[in-house]
Amino acid sequence: MNASRAADRTAKRIALIPGDGIGMEVVPEAVRILRAAIAKSNRQAEFVEFDWGAERFLRDGTTLPAGAVEMFRRDFDAILFGAVGDPRVPSNRHAADILLGLRAKLDLYVNARPVELLDASLTPLRDRSENDIRFIIFRENTEGLYAGAGGQFRRGDPDEIAIQEDINTRRGVERIIRYAFEYARARKLGKVLMSDKSNALTFGHELWQRVFAEVRREYPEIEARHLYIDTLAAELVRDPSQFRVIVTCNLFGDIASDLAAQLAGGLGLAPSGNIHPGQVSLFEPVHGSAPNIAGKGIANPMGAVLASAMLCDHVGWSDLGDLLRAAVRAAVRERQTTRDLGGSRSTREVAAWLLEYVTKAKAALT
Ligand code: ATP
């Protein structure tokens, strides 16, 4: 079944990979809430769970089984992912195989990190309201400094040399920049900002400059702006209200989006999407497996719930996505939160509150 046939199915097929640590705690809760939202509409979804993670790896060596990528492409619309990482696997080999493997092999070139302040009390910035912090960062997700190109020469020697190459392809740069403009156009957001370091990275990021200049011409209604990454970091803190859509490379997007997540309440609330438009894509909370709090029942499930909202948007169910986002917003405002957000509720209690909100919501879903 190719992508368009997958899109034709009435029931969406959603793969679940809870993974390790708190991933195993937050994904089941998010799925319960997602199922309730789907049940309110006349939509249908089939969920299939995969037990890939440290436990399975330690048991039989499985990471990402052969054929898994083809199976996802053929049979699934989306993947809801928890987190991978476990102190019993210090090399993190399973994590690299599973998550980085899926990102690369499914060519999930858009890393989308929406940042939205749900309640003014959650930002560490002074005098900022909900309207001031509402933007999205698109990070190139398949190349750049994370492409894995490079090598070490005379390893362990005092004269050792380590080289990490920054890979920027014309095709890769163009598709992420174009995605940002298309996103802004579809939602009438009016502006796109591209960030690079072309004054210092005069080869790779000069390509970003040229491609940006070309692509922006196709979107005359959108204000196209550029900031060097160091200036962007400063401006995100000084005045985040100036941003709507930010597009940048893999490394800078990684750093800027973690900074941005803190502006809106931190890791527990931040969702992300690893997207290939029109194809099976993977949605996950930004946080990791957090071994220090795993098994204690205190992990914030909201990042995973907001990731499932993004998953809904991806499969064409943005009304369900809106419902899930409204539930999280209401819970934050009612202080029904875990400790990381200043509350005292457990994972289960927060999830139960969200589930009830979704179940009782009056909005007529079609
Ligand atoms: P990695 O990101 O490499 O997997 P990690 O698992 O140690 O590393 P994270 O899980 O990303 O790191 O989080 C860092 C810290 O933030 C955690 O140790 C935990 O204290 C806190 N944290 C992260 N996610 C949550 C959450 N959902 N609820 C509550 N606290 C969280």
Side-chain angles (χ1 to χ4, degrees):
M1 197 179 303
N2 62 26
S4 58
R5 281 178 58 201
D8 288 345
R9 273 192 307 256
T10 34
K12 301 295 179 193
R13 279 176 59 89
I14 299 168
L16 305 173
I17 308 177
D20 300 326
I22 64 170
M24 290 193 288
E25 298 172 47
V26 295
V27 167
E29 299 297 349
V31 171
R32 232 191 302 278
I33 298 160
L34 177 58
R35 278 183 188 277
I38 294 169
K40 288 185 79 82
S41 68
N42 60 4
R43 313 317 182 358
Q44 279 165 359
E46 286 170 47
F47 293 87
V48 181
E49 186 164 331
F50 297 88
D51 67 351
W52 306 332
E55 200 64 49
R56 177 79 188 270
F57 175 65
L58 290 169
R59 196 166 67 236
D60 64 12
T62 299
T63 56
L64 189 64
V69 171
E70 295 70 25
M71 171 195 68
F72 285 133
R73 265 226 181 91
R74 194 179 57 232
D75 299 336
F76 286 88
D77 297 281
I79 303 166
L80 182 62
F81 193 91
V84 273
D86 187 302
R88 293 172 300 166
V89 188
S91 67
N92 239 2
R93 185 163 140 234
H94 71 300
D97 278 9
I98 299 169
L99 186 55
L100 303 185
L102 286 174
R103 279 185 188 155
K105 291 178 186 152
L106 291 173
D107 196 25
L108 305 175
Y109 67 88
V110 181
N111 190 280
R113 298 268 203 104
V115 179
E116 190 182 348
L117 182 61
L118 297 177
D119 188 84
S121 66
L122 294 179
T123 183
L125 300 184
R126 193 167 11 107
D127 300 333
R128 288 292 172 193
S129 70
E130 291 80 354
N131 284 334
D132 292 334
I133 304 180
R134 184 167 299 161
F135 59 91
I136 187 160
I137 298 181
F138 294 121
R139 157 187 172 192
E140 202 294 319
N141 212 21
T142 53
E143 45 187 54
L145 263 166
Y146 295 179
Q152 292 179 331
F153 184 50
R154 300 200 194 110
R155 192 182 153 89
D157 197 272
D159 296 323
E160 177 171 357
I161 299 170
I163 296 171
Q164 197 84 41
E165 300 284 1
D166 182 18
I167 308 288
N168 299 271
T169 67
R170 164 83 210 195
R171 193 169 146 268
V173 174
E174 183 172 337
R175 66 182 181 174
I176 188 72
I177 289 179
R178 191 173 294 286
Y179 185 87
F181 276 99
E182 285 295 324
Y183 184 93
R185 173 173 277 175
R187 288 163 186 76
K188 299 193 175 17
L189 297 175
K191 45 188 178 178
V192 169
L193 180 133
M194 189 276 279
S195 188
D196 63 20
K197 191 67 184 166
S198 47
N199 50 348
L201 306 176
T202 51
F203 307 117
H205 285 195
E206 192 272 338
L207 176 63
W208 281 75
Q209 285 287 333
R210 256 186 297 132
V211 173
F212 187 59
E214 275 177 42
V215 174
R216 67 187 286 181
R217 282 203 287 273
E218 297 171 37
Y219 301 85
E221 83 282 14
I222 295 174
E223 179 199 322
R225 197 178 152 208
H226 169 261
L227 283 179
Y228 295 125
I229 187 62
D230 41 353
T231 311
L232 174 64
E235 288 296 304
L236 276 169
V237 176
R238 191 186 66 82
D239 179 16
S241 71
Q242 58 186 302
F243 303 113
R244 285 292 169 270
V245 177
I246 296 171
V247 59
T248 188
C249 65
N250 207 337
L251 173 68
F252 296 165
D254 189 9
I255 301 167
S257 57
D258 268 25
L259 187 160
Q262 288 301 328
L263 300 180
L267 275 181
L269 262 178
S272 73
N274 298 270
I275 300 169
H276 189 118
Q279 294 185 19
V280 62
S281 297
L282 183 152
F283 300 86
E284 56 176 332
V286 168
H287 63 73
S289 58
N292 60 329
I293 59 164
K296 296 185 179 157
I298 57 170
N300 186 349
M302 289 173 171
V305 173
L306 293 174
S308 20
M310 293 180 79
L311 183 153
C312 288
D313 297 341
H314 179 74
V315 301
W317 295 347
S318 50
D319 54 337
L320 299 189
D322 289 343
L323 176 59
L324 297 176
R325 283 181 283 265
V328 171
R329 190 175 298 118
V332 167
R333 293 199 175 146
E334 298 286 328
R335 305 282 186 267
Q336 300 294 323
T337 55
T338 42
R339 285 184 217 174
D340 56 309
L341 295 185
S344 57
R345 302 263 176 257
S346 67
T347 308
R348 282 234 92 157
E349 286 167 341
V350 171
W353 197 95
L354 294 170
L355 182 65
E356 191 177 335
Y357 181 99
V358 166
T359 311
K360 289 189 176 157
K362 295 220 174 55
L365 298 166
T366 50

